[in-house]
Coordinates of all heavy atoms in Angstrom, one line a residue:
L1109 N 97.3 83.8 91.1 CA 96.0 83.6 90.4 C 94.9 83.2 91.4 O 93.7 83.6 91.3 CB 96.1 82.5 89.3 CG 96.9 83.0 88.1 CD1 97.3 81.8 87.2 CD2 95.9 84.0 87.3
I1112 N 93.9 86.4 93.1 CA 93.2 87.4 92.3 C 91.8 86.9 92.0 O 90.9 87.7 91.9 CB 94.0 87.6 91.0 CG1 93.7 89.1 90.5 CG2 93.7 86.6 89.9 CD1 94.4 90.1 91.3
R1127 N 91.3 96.4 86.1 CA 92.7 96.3 86.5 C 93.1 94.9 87.0 O 94.1 94.4 86.6 CB 93.1 97.3 87.6 CG 93.2 98.8 87.1 CD 93.7 99.7 88.2 NE 93.0 99.6 89.5 CZ 91.9 100.3 89.8 NH1 91.4 101.2 88.9 NH2 91.4 100.2 91.0
I1128 N 92.2 94.4 87.8 CA 92.4 93.0 88.3 C 92.4 92.0 87.2 O 93.2 91.1 87.2 CB 91.3 92.7 89.5 CG1 91.6 93.6 90.7 CG2 91.4 91.2 89.8 CD1 90.5 93.5 91.7
E1129 N 91.4 92.1 86.3 CA 91.4 91.1 85.2 C 92.6 91.3 84.3 O 93.2 90.2 83.8 CB 90.1 91.4 84.3 CG 88.9 90.9 85.0 CD 88.7 89.4 85.0 OE1 89.5 88.6 84.6 OE2 87.5 89.0 85.4
A1130 N 93.1 92.5 84.1 CA 94.4 92.6 83.3 C 95.6 91.9 84.0 O 96.3 91.3 83.3 CB 94.7 94.1 83.1
R1131 N 95.7 92.1 85.3 CA 96.7 91.3 86.0 C 96.5 89.8 85.9 O 97.5 89.1 85.7 CB 96.8 91.8 87.5 CG 97.1 93.2 87.7 CD 98.4 93.6 87.2 NE 99.5 93.0 88.1 CZ 100.7 92.8 87.6 NH1 101.1 93.0 86.4 NH2 101.6 92.2 88.5
R1132 N 95.3 89.4 86.0 CA 95.0 88.0 85.9 C 95.4 87.4 84.6 O 96.0 86.4 84.5 CB 93.5 87.7 86.1 CG 93.1 86.3 86.1 CD 91.6 86.2 86.5 NE 91.1 84.9 86.0 CZ 90.3 84.7 85.0 NH1 89.8 85.7 84.3 NH2 89.9 83.5 84.7
A1133 N 95.1 88.2 83.5 CA 95.5 87.7 82.2 C 97.0 87.6 82.1 O 97.5 86.6 81.5 CB 95.0 88.7 81.1
T1134 N 97.8 88.5 82.6 CA 99.2 88.5 82.6 C 99.7 87.3 83.3 O 100.6 86.6 82.8 CB 99.8 89.8 83.2 OG1 99.4 90.9 82.4 CG2 101.3 89.7 83.2
W1135 N 99.2 87.0 84.4 CA 99.7 85.8 85.2 C 99.2 84.5 84.6 O 100.0 83.6 84.6 CB 99.2 85.9 86.7 CG 99.7 87.1 87.4 CD1 100.9 87.8 87.1 CD2 99.1 87.9 88.4 NE1 101.0 88.9 87.9 CE2 100.0 88.9 88.8 CE3 98.0 87.7 89.1 CZ2 99.7 89.9 89.8 CZ3 97.7 88.6 90.2 CH2 98.5 89.7 90.5
L1136 N 98.1 84.5 83.9 CA 97.6 83.3 83.2 C 98.7 83.0 82.1 O 99.1 81.8 81.9 CB 96.3 83.4 82.6 CG 95.1 83.4 83.6 CD1 93.8 83.9 82.9 CD2 94.9 82.0 84.1
A1137 N 99.1 84.0 81.4 CA 100.1 83.8 80.3 C 101.4 83.3 80.9 O 102.0 82.4 80.3 CB 100.3 85.1 79.6
R1138 N 101.8 83.8 82.1 CA 103.0 83.5 82.7 C 103.1 82.0 83.1 O 104.2 81.4 83.1 CB 103.4 84.4 83.8 CG 103.9 85.7 83.3 CD 104.4 86.6 84.4 NE 104.8 87.8 83.8 CZ 104.8 89.0 84.5 NH1 104.5 89.0 85.8 NH2 105.2 90.1 83.9
V1139 N 101.9 81.5 83.4 CA 101.9 80.1 83.9 C 101.5 79.1 82.7 O 101.3 78.0 82.9 CB 101.0 79.8 85.1 CG1 101.5 80.6 86.3 CG2 99.6 80.1 84.8
R1141 N 98.9 79.4 80.5 CA 97.5 79.3 80.2 C 97.1 80.3 79.2 O 96.3 81.2 79.5 CB 96.7 79.3 81.5 CG 97.0 78.1 82.4 CD 96.6 78.2 83.9 NE 95.2 78.5 84.0 CZ 94.6 78.8 85.2 NH1 95.3 78.7 86.3 NH2 93.3 79.0 85.3
H1142 N 97.7 80.2 78.0 CA 97.6 81.3 77.0 C 96.1 81.4 76.5 O 95.7 82.6 76.2 CB 98.5 81.0 75.9 CG 100.0 81.0 76.3 ND1 100.9 80.0 76.1 CD2 100.7 82.0 77.0 CE1 102.0 80.3 76.7 NE2 101.9 81.5 77.2
E1144 N 93.3 81.0 78.0 CA 92.6 81.7 79.0 C 93.0 83.2 79.0 O 92.1 84.0 79.2 CB 92.7 81.1 80.4 CG 92.1 79.7 80.5 CD 92.5 79.1 81.9 OE1 91.8 79.5 82.9 OE2 93.3 78.2 81.9
A1145 N 94.2 83.4 79.0 CA 94.7 84.8 79.0 C 94.2 85.6 77.8 O 93.7 86.7 78.0 CB 96.3 84.8 79.0
L1146 N 94.2 85.0 76.7 CA 93.7 85.6 75.4 C 92.2 85.9 75.6 O 91.7 87.0 75.2 CB 93.9 84.7 74.3 CG 93.6 85.3 72.9 CD1 94.4 86.5 72.6 CD2 93.8 84.3 71.8
E1147 N 91.4 85.0 76.2 CA 90.0 85.3 76.4 C 89.8 86.5 77.3 O 88.9 87.3 77.1 CB 89.3 84.0 76.9 CG 89.2 82.9 76.0 CD 88.6 81.6 76.5 OE1 87.9 81.7 77.6 OE2 88.7 80.6 75.9
V1148 N 90.6 86.5 78.4 CA 90.4 87.7 79.3 C 90.8 89.0 78.6 O 90.1 90.0 78.7 CB 91.3 87.5 80.6 CG1 91.3 88.7 81.5 CG2 90.8 86.3 81.4
W1149 N 91.9 89.0 77.9 CA 92.3 90.2 77.2 C 91.3 90.6 76.1 O 91.0 91.7 75.9 CB 93.7 90.0 76.5 CG 94.8 90.2 77.5 CD1 94.9 91.2 78.5 CD2 96.0 89.5 77.6 NE1 96.1 91.0 79.2 CE2 96.8 90.0 78.6 CE3 96.5 88.4 76.9 CZ2 98.0 89.5 79.0 CZ3 97.8 87.9 77.2 CH2 98.5 88.4 78.3
L1152 N 88.4 92.3 77.8 CA 88.8 93.6 78.2 C 88.8 94.6 77.1 O 88.5 95.7 77.2 CB 90.1 93.6 79.0 CG 90.2 93.0 80.3 CD1 91.6 92.8 80.8 CD2 89.4 93.8 81.3
C1165 N 100.1 86.9 74.1 CA 100.0 86.0 75.3 C 101.4 85.6 75.7 O 101.5 84.9 76.8 CB 99.2 84.8 75.0 SG 97.5 85.2 74.7

Side-chain angles (χ1 to χ4, degrees):
L1109 285 166
I1112 210 74
R1127 285 190 308 272
I1128 291 169
E1129 287 284 8
R1131 295 298 289 156
R1132 180 173 166 254
T1134 298
W1135 298 333
L1136 284 166
R1138 286 193 180 148
V1139 299
R1141 293 165 57 184
H1142 298 125
E1144 291 174 76
L1146 186 60
E1147 288 177 19
V1148 174
W1149 280 320
L1152 289 170
C1165 296

